[in-house]
Amino acid sequence: MNKLINGSVLLGGNKKFDVFGFLYRYGTIIVTILAIVYFSVSIEHWFTFGNVTNIFRSVSIVCLIALAMTMSLTVDGFDLSTAATASFAAVIAAKIMIIWQLHPMLAVLLPIAVGCMIGLVNSFLIIKLGISDMLATLSMMFVITGVSITFQQGSAIYNYMPMLEGGVAPGLMSEGFKAIGQKELFEIPIPVFIMLAIAILVHVFLNWTKYGRFLYMTGGNVEAARLSGIPTSKYRTLAYVLSGAIAALAGVVLCARLGSGEVDSAGPYLMDAVAAAYIGFSVLGAGKPNAFGTLLGALLVGILMNGLVMMSFPYYSQNIVKGVVLILGLGLTYYKKKG
């Protein structure tokens, strides 16, 4: 008869099966598969091409913001300003086209440049002034949100919007720009392609380049990394700059999807992005921030929310489900690390 000893099942022939190790590696994937099977059986027309693409579309912004957060997590940091950066980028992109009547390409490049600058300021506060990452990026979140509201007097920017000085906005958001967030390619929304492309780029950067390995080494033990000759301040700065750039890209995609630049439009995605990034720690037993885990974490959150909405689960109780999933993921991760 099999016995459970210290989290392991003793099998015949004195072989041990590590239950927690198995759940640590495959728990998130198993939960995702079980959720898919459950909703497919319980809800008619849930597992259809249209609904699956809708789930991918709905998590694309969350996943991009979570990938931005993942970059800061690699150096054992935490960037709470990612959603505010995305919102600010959306406002800038809309203002460039609708108010300033500039080329749509600038509406993509300039917000990303601003995102990089926000990352630089975050790294200055954290590395040079010694403010904790949580407090520094929380402060930056308030600053960016305030600047974003002041930048446009608290109103959204959209085509033919009335101006304070009279008349309507002189410019229009270009159709080519809106295609980034609204069009489809092979019946798959373009934001899904952008999400997958960034996830692949982040995965390759973190795992197949020396820069990615140095980021992980800095996050694993900053003192040991410094003694090994790694310029840790430089790599911590790089992590926050990349975080700001990816968050700003999320804002550009969000602006294109909405067809307007709305103040704090990305704010509601922040907590889901945090959950996705931390759920990713437990995927395949990585135990560290990683792009594939973050992508799967975002999809798991999206699948659960989509299924619960279609089952008419009360919206005010959906955060309980997110919290429980996050606790399970973190519980397995930290239990295994402790062991």
Side-chain angles (χ1 to χ4, degrees):
M1 182 177 177
N2 298 334
K3 295 180 179 178
L4 180 63
I5 302 174
N6 294 330
S8 299
V9 175
L10 188 60
L11 304 174
N14 292 328
K15 293 182 179 178
K16 289 183 177 180
F17 176 70
D18 186 353
V19 177
F20 287 105
F22 179 79
L23 291 175
Y24 178 58
R25 288 185 63 82
Y26 305 110
T28 306
I29 295 174
I30 291 172
V31 170
T32 304
I33 293 173
L34 289 176
I36 292 173
V37 172
Y38 177 75
F39 290 133
S40 300
V41 172
S42 305
I43 306 172
E44 190 177 6
H45 305 308
W46 186 83
F47 195 71
T48 62
F49 180 79
N51 192 47
V52 171
T53 55
N54 182 48
I55 292 171
F56 272 81
R57 187 208 311 265
S58 68
V59 303
S60 57
I61 305 297
V62 171
C63 186
L64 286 172
I65 295 175
L67 286 169
M69 203 167 289
T70 299
M71 294 307 304
S72 62
L73 290 170
T74 58
V75 293
D76 197 28
F78 189 68
D79 190 351
L80 260 181
S81 66
T82 48
T85 301
S87 300
F88 191 36
V91 171
I92 294 173
K95 191 148 189 170
I96 284 173
M97 288 178 285
I98 296 173
I99 306 296
W100 296 335
Q101 303 178 71
L102 298 176
H103 195 280
M105 186 59 74
L106 285 175
V108 176
L109 298 179
L110 189 57
I112 293 176
V114 171
C116 292
M117 292 180 65
I118 291 171
L120 275 175
V121 175
N122 277 334
S123 60
F124 173 79
L125 297 174
I126 295 166
I127 299 168
K128 297 297 181 184
L129 300 187
I131 303 174
S132 76
D133 47 11
M134 181 81 75
L135 294 177
T137 55
L138 176 66
S139 304
M140 184 56 66
M141 181 181 76
F142 287 124
V143 170
I144 298 170
T145 302
V147 170
S148 185
I149 293 172
T150 307
F151 192 51
Q152 191 47 34
Q153 292 84 43
S155 67
I157 303 175
Y158 50 91
N159 290 343
Y160 308 112
M161 62 175 287
M163 304 294 288
L164 291 176
E165 57 272 21
V168 298
L172 292 174
M173 187 174 290
S174 82
E175 292 300 318
F177 179 83
K178 286 194 286 187
I180 297 172
Q182 298 178 6
K183 295 293 184 181
E184 296 180 347
L185 192 61
F186 308 116
E187 299 186 13
I188 298 174
I190 289 178
V192 176
F193 287 106
I194 295 173
M195 173 187 73
L196 295 176
I198 298 300
I200 291 170
L201 285 174
V202 171
H203 176 79
V204 170
F205 178 77
L206 290 179
N207 294 283
W208 293 356
T209 70
K210 72 172 186 180
Y211 307 106
R213 289 193 290 274
F214 286 176
L215 287 175
Y216 278 133
M217 290 174 69
T218 301
N221 188 325
V222 66
E223 196 57 36
R226 186 182 295 116
L227 292 174
S228 301
I230 296 173
T232 54
S233 296
K234 171 184 166 185
Y235 280 95
R236 291 174 74 193
T237 301
L238 175 65
Y240 282 101
V241 169
L242 291 176
S243 175
I246 297 173
L249 175 63
V252 170
V253 176
L254 181 59
C255 177
R257 183 171 158 188
L258 297 175
S260 64
E262 299 181 14
V263 175
D264 202 29
S265 54
Y269 298 112
L270 179 61
M271 288 299 106
D272 285 359
V274 172
Y278 276 103
I279 288 172
F281 275 53
S282 62
V283 174
L284 294 178
K288 62 183 182 182
N290 65 96
F292 175 70
T294 299
L295 174 63
L296 190 60
L299 284 173
L300 175 57
V301 172
I303 289 168
L304 290 173
M305 293 305 104
N306 178 275
L308 292 174
V309 168
M310 292 184 73
M311 293 181 75
S312 299
F313 195 78
Y315 73 90
Y316 45 80
S317 301
Q318 291 173 8
N319 284 338
I320 298 174
V321 178
K322 293 180 196 173
V324 170
V325 172
L326 183 57
I327 288 171
L328 289 175
L330 291 177
L332 286 172
T333 300
Y334 283 92
Y335 178 84
K336 194 65 183 177
K337 281 185 177 179
K338 182 181 175 184

